[in-house]
Amino acid sequence: MFAMGRVGEGIAEIGAGLRIAEWRGIRSLLPNGYVVMALGAFRRADMRTCLHYVDKLAREALLGYFGQAAGAWVTALDTEARSGVECAAGLIDGIVMNPVVLRQLLVSEPAAASWLVRAAGKLGARDVGKALVSAASAASAGHSRLSVVRASALHAAGLLEEDAGKLREASALHPDRWCGASAREDLAGLAAKRGSEHGDAHFTCRAGGQLESNAMRLRDASDSRSTDNGSPRPPRGAGGQDESRLHPHRLGVNGVGGAG
């Protein structure tokens, strides 16, 4: 449902299942449920709810019910959100350098590759970014029928190489609307950067407007407002700013919402 933009419906269904699992004490089902709830809240820019479920996931880890790639990633998102990307460096490096965890993550979470490349760039860890892009390319080759894996690999490579063609192809190919909008936002950001480097004020301004437009599409794809069956809007961030007004794919690399 997330890939179709129906985040609210997906969260409602998983939430109902989690309540049953918690009530009946079926602990083996809880980590996956907490991961989905945390990532769903992340896509809606509802970082308060995201961190709530990450905390619950951490408690399950202490009891031995963790052991999954998506859980490692959402924990990295949480660590970056609370303490900054530098504090998440060890987790990011651990994910990228663990072949089993990384392979599982790249196939199961379409937004993970681009987020990790973005975070590695913030850390100045180009070697980590290269290792990630290489693994994403291998995952794409190994799952050639899955357009979502190929699009994720293209998105990651486009970010690392600053390749507009790959970002454009990723945005067109991605079946996950949230990730497709994220790739378009990265494409607009690259265009703005190049316009600035060449002193083209008009081009930079136009690209900046496109970036904001893509951010709006990304928010729409995350189904965080009126299409969400009347569920409450995300909490307001520091200074009263509505966190859903922020660029969602950057939440996890800028420490927004106390979040990417």
Side-chain angles (χ1 to χ4, degrees):
M1 284 189 176
F2 286 5
M4 298 170 65
R6 293 158 59 187
V7 178
E9 292 179 36
I11 288 177
E13 290 188 10
I14 295 297
L18 270 178
R19 286 191 292 274
I20 294 171
E22 289 175 336
W23 178 60
R24 293 185 176 274
I26 308 174
R27 304 195 69 88
S28 61
L29 299 180
L30 299 181
N32 282 330
Y34 293 153
V35 167
V36 173
M37 294 295 281
L39 293 177
F42 175 76
R43 287 193 174 206
R44 290 154 48 98
D46 181 354
M47 299 316 301
R48 185 177 304 164
T49 300
C50 178
L51 301 184
H52 168 73
Y53 281 104
V54 169
D55 284 340
K56 293 171 83 69
L57 183 64
R59 289 195 291 272
E60 293 302 311
L62 293 174
L63 296 172
Y65 291 95
F66 193 72
Q68 54 184 328
W73 178 47
V74 78
T75 302
L77 289 175
D78 169 66
T79 301
E80 187 279 333
R82 297 187 194 221
S83 308
V85 70
E86 293 80 8
C87 293
L91 276 169
I92 292 167
D93 187 66
I95 291 169
V96 175
M97 298 307 168
N98 185 316
V100 175
V101 169
L102 184 59
R103 186 162 52 247
Q104 292 174 351
L105 184 62
L106 293 175
V107 174
S108 64
E109 296 296 334
S114 58
W115 185 89
L116 287 166
V117 168
R118 221 176 276 114
K122 284 278 184 178
L123 293 166
R126 188 168 178 82
D127 56 335
V128 174
K130 287 181 178 179
L132 175 66
V133 167
S134 177
S137 177
S140 175
H143 298 81
S144 57
R145 295 186 178 183
L146 298 180
S147 60
V148 66
V149 180
R150 172 166 170 72
S152 295
L154 284 167
H155 192 171
L159 277 170
L160 182 72
E161 301 163 12
E162 296 190 341
D163 187 319
K166 289 182 178 179
L167 290 174
R168 190 175 296 109
E169 186 178 355
S171 68
L173 179 63
H174 231 307
D176 185 307
R177 294 192 298 173
W178 198 91
C179 293
S182 177
R184 287 190 291 275
E185 188 174 351
D186 280 323
L187 179 60
L190 178 59
K193 177 183 176 182
R194 288 180 173 172
S196 177
E197 289 173 348
H198 289 85
D200 189 338
H202 173 72
F203 185 75
T204 301
C205 181
R206 198 174 74 185
Q210 183 62 41
L211 194 151
E212 178 60 26
S213 174
N214 287 332
M216 292 178 66
R217 292 183 187 179
L218 200 157
R219 291 192 299 271
D220 290 341
S222 72
D223 192 26
S224 63
R225 292 192 189 287
S226 59
T227 57
D228 190 22
N229 299 320
S231 61
R233 291 172 61 177
R236 300 180 73 82
Q241 184 178 21
D242 183 349
E243 290 181 359
S244 68
R245 296 286 300 165
L246 300 165
H247 297 260
H249 82 204
R250 292 181 181 170
L251 291 174
V253 290
N254 289 337
V256 175

